[in-house]
Amino acid sequence: MAGPELAGCARTMIGTPFRFKGRDERTGVDCIGLVVLASAKAGCTLSLPNSYALRQADFADSEELARSAGLVAIAGPPRPGDIVEFEVSATQRHLAIVDTGHLYIHAHAGLGRVVLGPADPVWRQRFIWRIAQTSHPAR
């Protein structure tokens, strides 16, 4: 699956309602749900957890979770379809899918829907992830 394809599939979800731990376009998605559904639409199944808290103190296993889900860490600037993990606060992380330039597709809790726009300037980029070529095709 090519990155632009993932970005295109995520773009079709702009306007989808926000719902914490949501994994359904009709009822809503959160940032992880957006990544899971967009990747499925693009033909790739990612196994990301849905047993998480909105805020938590320990993120020590986030790299291992990403790797086990079929993501690989990327060095350098993000490309369309890459998944960026942002540190929103000391206790909150957020995933966004790169669209083009400095625009991201992400589930925005404050606006209550999936949006396309720049990252908040106070967010700190932690990781850039890309779906591994060996990820499981959707069945």
Side-chain angles (χ1 to χ4, degrees):
M1 171 188 53
E5 184 180 1
L6 177 61
C9 291
R11 212 175 297 115
T12 69
M13 297 176 62
I14 293 171
T16 297
F18 176 88
R19 184 171 63 89
F20 181 59
K21 295 187 182 184
R23 305 281 169 107
D24 185 312
E25 281 188 78
R26 294 168 305 199
T27 59
V29 299
D30 63 4
C31 63
I32 293 175
L34 173 66
V35 170
V36 168
L37 290 178
S39 65
K41 283 182 169 198
C44 182
T45 301
L46 290 181
S47 179
L48 290 170
N50 71 354
S51 58
Y52 50 88
L54 182 60
R55 298 193 191 334
Q56 58 192 57
D58 183 19
F59 293 96
D61 62 350
S62 71
E63 285 183 79
E64 180 54 37
L65 284 172
R67 272 195 282 289
S68 67
L71 300 174
V72 293
I74 300 300
R79 299 188 320 212
D82 285 348
I83 300 158
V84 178
E85 179 183 334
F86 288 104
E87 182 178 306
V88 175
S89 72
T91 60
Q92 188 174 6
R93 302 294 187 265
H94 183 59
L95 298 180
I97 298 171
V98 177
D99 188 60
T100 55
H102 296 288
L103 297 179
Y104 299 87
I105 304 149
H106 63 106
H108 194 297
L111 295 175
R113 65 185 181 278
V114 174
V115 299
L116 171 67
D120 189 304
V122 300
W123 295 354
R124 185 173 75 88
Q125 181 177 299
R126 290 184 38 88
F127 297 104
I128 301 169
W129 304 104
R130 190 168 294 152
I131 296 176
Q133 298 299 324
T134 58
S135 291
H136 310 298
R139 297 173 201 238

